[in-house]
Amino acid sequence: MTSSSAQALVEPRLATVRARVARACEEVDRSPATVLIIGVTKTHPPALGRAAVACGLIDLGENRVQELLVKQPAVAGARWHLVGSLQRNKVRDVVGKQVLVHSLDRRRLADALSRRASELGSVQRALIQVNVADDPAKGGCPVDETLDLIAYARELPHLAVEGLMTIPPLPAPDEDPSEAAREHFARLRGLRDQARSQFPEVIHLSMGMSDDLEAAVAEGATMIRVGTALFGPRGRGPWQGQEEHR
Ligand SMILES: *Cc1c(COP(=O)(O)O)cnc(C)c1O
């Protein structure tokens, strides 16, 4: 993929996504500047990440650590987000790389992140991933344990908990994805409001993807994670770093 063909692909899609965000913001009287769009580049080659940055979309996300590590040095000027689950044995690969971790969901992971950040003299930023629907198929902290996890994690000296993240359950085939997700987003927002009244640094709501970003914006998302609507259908597996035509 040449850099101009990558940009020709991303630019109009980004305009469309920005217009969707602007319209959703208008409905609820929010400024679009309060919604950070994260371009999820998983399975796509770094050329698409570079095209996003060239179009002014500098926040990029990956769901696998390995893929993030390959793309981070290949895409200059991006700010990276890890939106997929994190195993403790990968903590070393992530801490110190200026990555916002969206998937902190248990105490032992919090301990590992803070311990590694302490070795590096840094502070790891994280969002708590919440399993809003208590869906056994999904990761994340159970709703009724979330406040305790925040209270625990924020006491760790090298960890900064800045908000909450969720992935709602898949909608039924006959449901409108945005409508179906809305109650889950509302629940995350309620939990954030509750947390924030005790812990003022718990601000962010990372929620909303290509099919349901309107509902997320309506419910107060401060970060939306958009893949398909920006970069097209995903490839079969993680991008492996095979030859890249430029
Ligand atoms: C892949 C992914 C996204 C993007 O999903 P789309 O529906 O393609 O926009 C968002 N969040 C997470 C956690 C993901 O893994």
Side-chain angles (χ1 to χ4, degrees), residues 40 42 63 83-84 165 167 209-211 225-229 234:
V40 179
K42 66 189 187 205
N63 71 332
V83 301
M165 176 271 211
I167 307 172
M209 312 193 280
S210 292
D211 287 341
R225 311 177 306 266
V226 184
T228 315
R234 282 187 272 280

Side-chain angles (χ1 to χ4, degrees), residues 43 97 108 157 168 203 217-218 233:
T43 78
K97 300 257 167 69
R108 276 158 61 102
I203 291 169
V217 168

